[in-house]
Amino acid sequence: MCGHATENYGFMTKDIFQKIINECKRCEIHALIFGGAWGEPTLHPDWQRMIKVSVSHGFTTLISTNGSRLDTGAIGFLASSGIKQLQISFSGFDKESYESIYINGKFSKINEVLLNIKKIFLRHPSPPEILIHGVVEHSRPQKYVDRIYRYLYSCGYSDSEINMVRPTNFGGKKMNMEDNKVGLKSKTILKSLLQLCTVLTDGVGIYWNGKVTACPCADNDGKMIIGNILEESISDMRKSSYFNNIVRCFEDNNLSSLEMCSKCDIPYTRERNIAAILPSWLGTTGISIIEATYGLNCRGEKGVKIMLGNVTGLLQKKCNWKRKIEFVVDVNELGDRAPGMEKDLVITWCYAEDPMMTPYHLYIPAEAHGKVVAIPMINPAGKTLKSEHE
């Protein structure tokens, strides 16, 4: 359900790619993502070399692909490449359901690819993580979602490797799938609160020609260009008056001057977790972790880089759908992202039974290691919960 570029397309040159590597290292950027809504990365004739270069320079490397061009050789390369994650864009369970979404796609081909990924990855001692990511329209019934999960189970994939979500309107470019209107936020979104978009704060997107956009998610047509990596540094672009004006518009709760952001529903979705959908047998009851960040208090201290939501996936696997949660914070389990510094823990969750997906918050101050996280079955007051150690 991604938007598609109308003019912004081409193959990145070796020189531009090397410039990106050098600049990201200089700015202490730690992760590179190939693909996503920017086009199919495996179309590039040199994509495997680019992956090798990224990994060799120590970047946490992810690749997002529709999988259509992954033969056994390419899958074998990815299995041993050292990348962090292989994300496959997929939704459906048979020829009709898949090919109605992936135009010109062949279900027989992607079925073979999904089976081969599992088979080949299992042969390697430390293969990348796998994430099957797909979109299911609001109009689809629960039994449709269940069929997707059953199909992926039959291919060998587990719940932790499957991520089916409801669509966003992709910067106002796509129908919101709830009201069937292009460029308008859905009724559900309109009930949510605007927040500073994490897509905006956590990264930038770099086009094939070196142009840089402030929005690495939905801006594949170059409407939010903040500079060109061939002409200035990423840090200078992020310090520019144009970029800071974008941030200020969010802080002022007034996006009217931002063409894409004013129509986009992505900034409204993170905290309320309205996008995620599950099969019926996992249930729609219990606690659902929305976001969890470990060491946020260390952000910016002594050059420490802390990403929002850095332990979200880990705690989702540990806690989701349980009726009550209680565990001891362990730095060895969460990962020490700021060695030698005391770290706090911030958790946001909701209760799946709640149709409004009301967010609740738990804050455990530094040092969080060794303290107990206790999330109750329900908190009727809906206020921020504080650790007993605070």
Side-chain angles (χ1 to χ4, degrees):
M1 301 302 169
C2 295
H4 299 279
T6 55
E7 298 179 1
N8 178 37
Y9 54 87
F11 289 138
M12 182 176 289
T13 65
K14 181 178 180 180
D15 289 343
I16 291 179
F17 181 68
Q18 189 59 51
K19 174 68 174 177
I20 293 170
I21 293 293
N22 295 341
E23 176 63 10
C24 288
K25 289 183 69 176
R26 191 190 70 80
C27 293
E28 298 184 355
I29 293 171
H30 303 296
L32 293 181
I33 302 174
F34 292 79
W38 299 76
E40 174 52 46
T42 62
L43 285 171
H44 197 293
D46 212 16
W47 72 271
Q48 293 190 18
R49 184 195 69 83
M50 297 166 84
I51 293 290
K52 289 179 180 178
V53 170
S54 177
V55 172
S56 69
H57 282 278
F59 291 104
T60 298
T61 305
L62 300 86
I63 182 170
S64 176
T65 169
N66 61 32
S68 62
R69 296 174 56 85
L70 296 183
D71 56 21
T72 54
I75 295 171
F77 162 75
L78 290 169
S80 59
S81 64
I83 65 172
K84 172 69 173 178
Q85 185 182 86
L86 168 63
Q87 179 174 309
I88 301 292
S89 175
F90 173 86
S91 186
F93 45 81
D94 59 16
K95 178 179 172 64
E96 180 181 358
S97 59
Y98 175 78
E99 295 181 8
S100 67
I101 298 172
Y102 294 85
I103 307 303
N104 296 324
K106 299 296 181 184
F107 179 73
S108 58
K109 170 63 177 176
I110 195 63
N111 179 70
E112 179 183 0
V113 168
L114 291 172
L115 292 170
N116 282 335
I117 288 173
K118 264 300 177 181
K119 181 169 64 176
I120 294 173
F121 274 36
L122 285 173
R123 297 174 186 165
H124 289 262
S126 55
E129 299 172 359
I130 303 172
L131 183 67
I132 310 299
H133 177 77
V135 168
V136 181
E137 300 98 321
H138 289 277
S139 60
R140 299 294 188 182
Q142 182 63 50
K143 63 181 180 181
Y144 183 95
V145 177
D146 291 352
R147 291 188 68 180
I148 294 175
Y149 274 83
R150 286 194 178 98
Y151 165 72
L152 291 172
Y153 290 164
S154 74
C155 294
Y157 295 92
S158 63
D159 292 321
S160 63
E161 297 172 317
I162 304 171
N163 182 40
M164 293 291 132
V165 300
R166 297 299 185 191
T168 64
N169 69 0
F170 208 78
K173 300 175 186 178
K174 306 293 288 184
M175 290 184 182
N176 60 42
M177 301 299 175
E178 186 174 352
D179 303 324
N180 291 321
K181 296 177 182 177
V182 176
L184 295 177
K185 303 178 183 71
S186 69
K187 293 175 181 176
T188 305
I189 291 294
L190 288 173
K191 297 176 183 177
S192 305
L193 296 175
L194 174 68
Q195 52 200 310
L196 182 58
C197 185
T198 54
V199 171
L200 183 71
T201 59
D202 289 349
V204 297
I206 305 178
Y207 298 142
W208 65 279
N209 54 10
K211 290 184 178 181
V212 179
T213 174
C215 177
C217 177
D219 184 24
N220 49 19
D221 279 326
K223 295 184 182 300
M224 297 183 69
I225 298 297
I226 57 175
N228 191 307
I229 200 164
L230 300 177
E231 301 169 358
E232 55 188 316
S233 69
I234 293 175
S235 57
D236 286 344
M237 295 180 213
R238 298 265 287 192
K239 294 175 184 176
S240 68
S241 58
Y242 176 66
F243 182 84
N244 279 283
N245 179 64
I246 297 173
V247 175
R248 195 173 302 111
C249 288
F250 277 89
E251 292 175 342
D252 295 342
N253 198 29
N254 183 2
L255 306 182
S256 59
S257 63
L258 304 178
E259 179 183 355
M260 282 187 58
C261 301
S262 62
K263 300 176 182 178
C264 186
D265 52 19
I266 294 172
Y268 296 82
T269 62
R270 177 178 62 85
E271 188 169 271
R272 294 176 66 83
N273 199 32
I274 66 171
I277 49 177
L278 296 165
S280 57
W281 50 86
L282 286 185
T284 53
T285 62
I287 294 164
S288 175
I289 302 295
I290 298 171
E291 184 176 90
T293 304
Y294 184 49
L296 186 61
N297 62 305
C298 302
R299 196 175 192 178
E301 297 290 333
K302 301 179 182 179
V304 172
K305 305 290 185 180
I306 299 292
M307 288 187 70
L308 289 173
N310 57 19
V311 293
T312 301
L314 189 152
L315 291 189
Q316 284 176 337
K317 292 178 182 179
K318 184 184 184 72
C319 304
N320 273 10
W321 322 126
K322 294 182 179 178
R323 302 297 300 169
K324 182 180 180 180
I325 296 170
E326 186 168 321
F327 65 90
V328 177
V329 179
D330 185 349
V331 65
N332 297 308
E333 179 183 17
L334 299 183
D336 195 349
R337 292 160 172 81
M341 302 176 69
E342 294 187 346
K343 291 165 281 293
D344 61 7
L345 178 62
V346 186
I347 302 175
T348 301
W349 78 95
C350 64
Y351 294 100
E353 303 95 318
D354 178 7
M356 296 302 296
M357 296 293 180
T358 306
Y360 299 89
H361 310 278
L362 175 66
Y363 177 68
I364 299 183
E367 170 65 46
H369 174 71
K371 294 179 181 177
V372 175
V373 170
I375 298 179
M377 177 181 283
I378 193 166
N379 174 31
K383 303 297 183 182
T384 300
L385 298 180
K386 296 183 179 181
S387 164
E388 59 185 87
H389 302 278
E390 188 172 0

